[in-house]
Amino acid sequence: MLNTRTLMIVLAVAALAVAPAFIYPMLIVKLLCFAIFASAFNLMLGYTGLLSFGHAMFFGSAGYALGVTMKHLGWPPELGILAGVAVAALIGFLAGSVAIRRQGIYFAMITLAISQLIYFVAMQMEWTGRDDGFHGIPRGTLFGIIDLQDDMALYGLVAACFLLALFAIHRIVTSPFGQVLTAIRENEPRAISLGYDVDRYKVLAFTLSGALSGLAGALKALALSYESLNDLHWALSGEVVMMCILGGLGTLGGPVAGAFFVILLQNFLADKVGEWLSVIIGVVFLTCILAFRKGFVGEIGDWIEKMRARKGGFTAKQEGNR
Amino acid sequence: MTHILETVGLCKEFRGFRAVDDVSLRVREGDIHALIGPNGAGKTTVFNLLTKFLSPSAGRIVFDGRDITREKPAALARQGMVRSFQISATFPHLTVLENVRVALQRRHAPTYAFWLPGSVLSRLDARAMDLLEQVDMQDFAQTKAADLPYGRKRSVEIATTLAMEPRLMLLDEPTQGMGHEDVERVTQLIKRVSAGRTILMVEHNMKVVAGICDRISVLQRGALLAEGTYAEVSADPRVLEAYMGSETELEGAH
Amino acid sequence: MGETVLSLTGVNGWYGESHVLHGVDLSVRRGEVVSLIGRNGAGRTTILRAIMGLLDRREGRLEIRGQDMSTTPAYRIAKAGLGYCPEERGIFASLSCEENLLLPPVTRTDGGMAMSLDEIYAMFPNLKERAHSPGTRLSGGEQQMLAIARILRTGADILLLDEISEGLAPVIVQTLSRVIQDLKARGFTILMVEQNFRFAAPLADRFFIIEHGRVVEEIAQADLAARADDIRTYLGV
Amino acid sequence: MTEIFGVPAPVLYGQLLLGLVNGSFYALLSLGLSLIFGLLNIVNFAHGTMYMLGAFLAYLLLQPLGLGYWWAVLLVPLMAAGLGIVIERTILKRIYKLDHIYGLLVTFGLTMVIEGFVRVYFGVSGLRYAVPSSLQGMVDLGFMRLPIYRIWVIVAALGLCLITWLVIERTRLGATLRAGTENPSLVQAFGVNVPLLVTLVFGWGVGLAAFAGVLAAPLMQLTPQIGHSIIITVFGVVVIGGMGSILGSILTGLGLGLIEGLAKVYYPEASSTAIFVLMILVLLVRPHGLFGKQ
Amino acid sequence: DEDQVKIALMTDLAGATADYGGQGAIEAVKMAIEDFGGTLNGKPIHADFIDHQNKPDIAVTKAREAFDSGTDMVINLSNSAAALGVMEIAQSKDKVVVVTGAGSDRITGDACSPNAVHFAFNSYSLANSPVKALAANGVNNWYLIVSDFAYGLSVEAAVTGAIESSGGTLAGSVKHPAFMASDFSSYALQAISSGAQAIGLSNSSSDTTNSIRALKEFGLGGDQQMVAFTLLINEIHGLGLDQASGLLFADGFYWDRTEQTREWSKRFYERVGKMPNMVNAGDYSGTLHYLRAVEAAGTTDAKTVLAKMREMPINDMFAENGKIREDGMMVHDMYLVQVKTPEESQYDWDYLKVLETIPAEEAFLPLDQSKCSLVNKG
Ligand SMILES: Nc1ncnc2c1ncn2[C@@H]1O[C@H](COP(=O)(O)OP(=O)(O)OP(=O)(O)O)[C@@H](O)[C@H]1O
Ligand SMILES: Nc1ncnc2c1ncn2[C@@H]1O[C@H](COP(=O)(O)OP(=O)(O)OP(=O)(O)O)[C@@H](O)[C@H]1O
Ligand SMILES: [Mg+2]
Ligand SMILES: [Mg+2]
């Protein structure tokens, strides 16, 4: 098992290293940003079971935070990114504290409402540039040595952050905290009766997910030198849900695959199919939910398990032995 | 004799309907104390009040000398008052060992540490196995809780509850829905784990009550009807009429 | 004893992916009280649910009054005169006691078994008293009575009762025992699942012992004493 | 002229009345949403799309077929209900056993598809649907002149809400529905054709949304996006009122329309955020909504 | 290869603002290339049609990709945010941008760029002329319905400026959320009950059409006038003359104005099925002007081409003696138009009366008031 995992990691790093030779680097940067975003979202839905329909609020706010600190305060990129993450984490904490009072679909609605609120506020603030967007964010010099104006340098930064974010998510999920989260997801009343203040754990999970989404948003704003209201819009929140579901919830690779798929689809189809884009994406999305409920990665995982089980001589789960 | 748990004039109204009416209950430290009574007498409601899943309309609850009327449920569990559920409550997709470990983790390992690897929890394994042995579940340590037979789930639940090192355990119908064999096992288990702690339980099975309970309180229509040892209570004609019925051979009911 | 009114032949049943019933064969004759006994999780509730068509998947043959109903959708099975009282009672919170009582549509009037509201209230006076309180405000015992009463109105003459003595005070269990005897006297056919063997023992004409999702033994009332040891090993009593 | 906080009283009354018109739409839509959520356990994200579709269907009846407004009032809800029934039978029934987030996601996908089609066939620049001649004109209410059509909107919407509410609370069918909301499989075991009931309820809910669309058609330029903002507001209404509470949806919908009307006079910039602030406040005080049960 | 000309139309092909781009823009650009001859210096002219889906970030990503893969010029850029974003990239990569689909004054104001040309209209030109024209007729008491987003506010600023300078007064204004509200009755009622002589619509697209409908519904008429500050002929087509008649606005192009406009527009109509609006015409004219400049310059180098573009006057069906100023604004005559009544309209798309031609110098912000840094330096 460990070998396959190491192999996967090596493969992923290698793929990231050679990819810019074949694909337009800035497109990969965008893909990676959304992959981080979807993975961060997965931390909520996939591992905590809470559907947030307002995750764009983290993505967008972090972008604006990075923009303001770098453009107006002259902070270097590393601090700008940190500022983005911090702002997103703070929003995660505040929004989480409110939303956590309800569960399931209500949670989704409340997060949606909070993110709409933030959207409208951003829309009415002078300093965000409203719907004209926040322009002219400098890319700056990382740690005072690496000039990010160079696309490849920027790509390196984003790729490194991507790996780091995936590792962070893996670590969070398997950490002692992750264990408590699993328990809460499995049986919340029981977790309460064991003395866990479940709301606090959920808020922390929401905050962490927000912070990582913020990382994604900040990186994207840095890469594009630009931030817009679209990054706060509920449609983006819907899109990130879609990415996760398409790729496979509760797996590390799923959201990444889902994000790549959706962004590439949008990227390549839009100019070719024009008006039909939303129909096509909708149909693909519906088909996936109805036919491959576990997402690409989940279904492939199941299939591999099945093959392995067949090889190993198991035919089916043991049954009837109760 | 000290009382570990005391309620003073506890009341609970649901939109005008008094489910619990001025109940002053006293549970002595170290006892197995049973709460019995006809259906709808308010037993589960009392439990819910004690464990803060409901808040009382009036009255006070004192646990170990401290007023806990306004405490949050999780905080109460941390002080040693732990409830096990009427419906079997495990974490179905965790293994038996992990089930117990989650309970141990709260006291003995980090719980918010999202930056640590999961392997730090393995230092709880020995202790968890220890608890599993107490309920005779060591052989099932790696089984998923969902795959266990019903009675065994109860055992896991009790082991999990024990991991909390409770001073007072609240058991709501621990044998409900169990076959005879399991009833027997769980009864013995309760007896065994009662050493060094107090147990308050709701139970309809008179055999269990008669077998292991030191004291019994009888509720009826939300109010306390009688209290005493099994012999005292079962001799009370009001209890016979309201609860046990005409059959003198009590076990006959179950 | 009358003709066979309910029979299962080689019935398999599934919850999602998990295969729970493995070839159940049993039959019930008119006017009989039959009890399914077994350990927890043996599959007794599942058998009742299989009959009512409430499983995710069922295979095998189900006959009611000689008619093949193996592929009949769930909502039509009740119309063949079956009344189901589920293990969890299934009282509706948003309906008053009386609305709960009136909820199941009257499905058969020809058998003459349908009891009127008055008859039912005479049988369960508590329900009349609480007719207008929301269903789930009733006490456990009252809810259990309501669950049984509810299916007496519909004209169903084959009753499937799941653990009706469960979690009830001894005094109410005694009442229920009388109710069952009364129903039997009126000619109802009853298939009941009981954990509480002592409750079932004096009531049932026959017992099916269920283990691992199949019928492993059939014991008649008359043989009960003789087979006590067998039962003990099966049930661990 | 009397003024209320700096606003002339007649203007204020006028605004409140207009708020009530909007509130009727919210009530109609959130009622359908609640109904569907209650029995199907699905948060119908496509509800706004159905509203939009209702308006476009009305247009479609008029343009190629020449069937006017009153035909639309009659036929469009039926057509939409028919579409809803097809969707329920072919798509939604596959996801009932899953977590209810799937319902949200599937209907989100449906929104993309349906809206995409409307966009392809009708474009985005907006179509016009005229006020029917029988409802043209204004009534002088003293403090304002109100178009007759808006009065009809209030009457029709509230009438339909009332009928729906009566059916659910006062009839046997309603009792069966309520029971089905709690435990569909048991109701089925009692001999009720629950799948049919579910299908019909979805059809009814969608029909209500489409009816709202027909009512709205003469009031605005029809673009494929008209469902967007309203659905978010309606979600807010349902959360504030308490999900699944029929009466709650109706009352909250009306109330919210009034509050919005006030906001548009006193602080128009906040009119779009008022609902979200309100929602957060309500949830802090009453986590189950104003009319929700525990 | 190096000296092939590659242009890209980037616009909203299918979204809410597709009237400012969409199929019409595609055909306009294609017509320009065909009319130019299809080739330049013997090489075919390559055109890409890129959908930014009305999302500025997609516009920015795709523009970057397009420039990196050899695109020389991007045109249209409906949506001001997208335009401003792409202008920045064009400047850093030294490419040419011709904005036709967006109207923000910032494009030639504080955000101006040596690499950008603003072709068809901006909010100043749309706002200023109607206010001035009405003032001359004694209509100078205004109420504004403003959409609460950057473009609406930029129009509002331009309008308020114009009202002040023409000695008018503002009776009041109300802000509505942009593209979120479909119910304008409340704003209409407030506007009507203000008693102002003119009600100005500082919004765009569906917000404008819905405002118009609501004003009509609540009985606007008599001595109150409606003025729209951003309106395309397509929107009048959608509204119908009974709703829109009498409406005043400024337009950069009307198909039925001259023989030349008619000839071109009919060709356009045959391809698209709609009459062109000022953005469509701008797309055609802008593309053609760019190609002519490249031909004259003999290179695709942005600096040289831009210099040529500024040097050459624009003379076609869109502009007579149009000229690109140093702030990037292509100044040309604008027209004050009024929507005909149904009775006045004789044939399909016969919607407008041209009341007045506003000379280029008056239609656009005088250079000395410009906030563009390029102007101050020069
Ligand atoms: N949430 C509630 N709202 C209204 N009434 C309630 C609620 N919970 C319980 N009750 C009522 O309070 C009374 C006591 O209920 P409780 O569940 O405590 O009984 P119990 O003694 O546990 O009975 P059982 O032995 O049947 O479990 C009952 O009449 C019940 O209907
Ligand atoms: N909804 C369900 N999904 C999956 N498995 C189930 C479900 N309900 C029951 N089972 C499993 O099916 C088997 C038979 O259960 P069933 O409820 O029929 O048993 P029973 O004999 O009625 O026992 P009990 O005493 O618990 O009522 C058990 O192993 C149980 O775990
Ligand atoms: Mg109880
Ligand atoms: Mg059972």
Side-chain angles (χ1 to χ4, degrees), chain D residues 62-84:
Chain D
L62 185 69
Q63 277 311 341
L65 300 179
L67 296 175
Y69 181 81
W70 296 108
W71 280 108
V73 165
L74 194 71
L75 293 181
V76 168
L78 293 179
M79 290 160 71
L83 177 70

Side-chain angles (χ1 to χ4, degrees), chain A:
Chain A
M1 272 324 271
L2 198 74
N3 283 345
T4 34
R5 209 166 86 198
T6 330
L7 192 73
M8 296 277 275
I9 294 172
V10 171
L11 273 178
V13 174
L16 281 175
V18 300
F22 303 99
I23 309 171
Y24 181 60
M26 291 308 287
L27 176 62
I28 316 179
V29 164
K30 190 175 172 191
L31 289 177
L32 292 180
C33 288
F34 277 99
I36 298 175
F37 186 28
S39 303
F41 177 80
N42 186 35
L43 189 59
M44 280 314 283
L45 182 56
Y47 295 105
T48 317
L50 287 171
L51 171 67
S52 148
F53 219 85
H55 247 52
M57 64 181 150
F58 305 124
F59 194 77
S61 318
Y64 282 111
L66 174 126
V68 168
T69 53
M70 287 187 68
K71 185 176 169 185
H72 297 318
L73 306 180
W75 289 13
E78 62 277 11
L79 288 187
I81 293 172
L82 273 184
V85 171
V87 165
L90 182 69
I91 293 180
F93 175 74
L94 296 176
S97 306
V98 175
I100 225 70
R101 301 169 70 93
R102 299 299 304 276
Q103 284 160 25
I105 218 70
Y106 297 90
F107 182 83
M109 302 275 157
I110 296 164
T111 47
L112 174 64
I114 297 175
S115 84
Q116 282 296 99
L117 192 62
I118 293 180
Y119 176 87
F120 281 116
V121 169
M123 177 108 176
Q124 295 189 341
M125 291 291 126
E126 199 74 55
W127 59 266
T128 59
R130 298 166 184 264
D131 54 308
D132 274 350
F134 191 102
H135 291 268
I137 304 172
R139 280 194 187 166
T141 311
L142 188 67
F143 303 124
I145 31 179
I146 307 167
D147 182 7
L148 293 180
Q149 209 52 50
D150 176 9
D151 280 357
M152 284 314 292
L154 186 91
Y155 172 77
L157 170 69
V158 175
C161 286
F162 169 73
L163 291 175
L164 209 70
L166 282 199
F167 173 74
I169 288 168
H170 174 72
R171 175 48 69 81
I172 291 171
V173 168
T174 54
S175 71
F177 172 67
Q179 188 73 193
V180 177
L181 278 188
T182 314
I184 293 174
R185 187 188 57 200
E186 294 260 304
N187 190 342
E188 184 166 332
R190 183 54 172 163
I192 296 176
S193 78
L194 291 182
Y196 288 106
D197 200 339
V198 298
D199 284 0
R200 290 198 193 184
Y201 292 86
K202 289 188 194 165
V203 171
L204 178 56
F206 200 60
T207 309
L208 289 171
S209 171
L212 285 164
S213 307
L215 173 67
L219 286 173
K220 184 184 163 241
L222 182 69
L224 298 187
S225 307
Y226 174 69
E227 182 57 44
S228 78
L229 286 174
N230 280 58
D231 286 353
L232 283 174
H233 197 260
W234 62 262
L236 181 65
S237 302
E239 241 162 59
V240 75
V241 181
M242 202 150 79
M243 292 170 184
C244 271
I245 299 280
L246 290 183
L249 279 178
T251 58
L252 204 56
V256 176
F260 281 21
F261 180 74
V262 171
I263 299 290
L264 288 175
L265 204 67
Q266 281 179 351
N267 213 59
F268 291 124
L269 274 186
D271 307 335
K272 304 193 177 49
V273 300
E275 305 179 300
W276 290 96
L277 181 68
S278 104
V279 177
I280 292 175
I281 292 189
V283 168
V284 169
F285 182 52
L286 278 178
T287 316
C288 285
I289 294 186
L290 295 176
F292 320 107
R293 197 159 297 124
K294 292 180 176 158
F296 314 138
V297 172
E299 294 287 343
I300 292 173
D302 268 17
W303 183 78
I304 290 175
E305 207 159 274
K306 223 178 258 172
M307 295 312 280
R308 203 177 269 164
R310 196 165 295 168
K311 259 195 210 143
F314 298 97
T315 43
K317 277 193 211 157
Q318 310 147 272
E319 274 167 333
N321 55 353
R322 292 181 187 129

Side-chain angles (χ1 to χ4, degrees), chain B residues 14-15 17 37-41 149-151 173 175-182 204 206-207 240-247 250-254, chain C residues 38-41 44 87 89 129-130 134 137-142 163 165-174 178 195-199 235-237:
Chain B
F14 295 108
R15 295 196 189 129
F17 172 73
N39 298 100
Y150 190 90
E173 306 201 29
T175 66
Q176 175 172 34
M178 282 190 185
H180 215 278
E181 189 185 33
D182 285 333
H204 279 304
M206 282 305 109
K207 213 166 166 182
L240 282 179
E241 193 207 319
Y243 183 66
M244 292 177 186
S246 53
E247 284 182 65
L250 282 169
E251 286 88 329
H254 266 268
Chain C
R39 298 181 195 213
N40 291 114
R44 298 159 302 157
E87 194 169 14
R89 294 172 197 163
E129 235 168 78
R130 311 219 50 181
R137 291 264 195 93
L138 304 184
S139 83
E142 286 161 344
E163 308 247 8
S165 72
E166 181 64 47
L168 296 185
V171 64
I172 298 178
V173 175
Q174 292 150 25
R178 282 194 294 276
Q195 192 63 260
N196 185 348
F197 184 61
R198 299 192 186 211
F199 173 74
L235 301 185
V237 171

Side-chain angles (χ1 to χ4, degrees), chain E residues 344-363:
Chain E
E344 286 169 322
S345 171
Q346 306 290 316
Y347 38 88
D348 276 356
W349 293 86
D350 176 21
Y351 292 157
L352 302 179
K353 286 183 283 202
V354 178
L355 300 182
E356 216 174 288
T357 300
I358 306 144
E361 315 77 75
E362 280 176 36

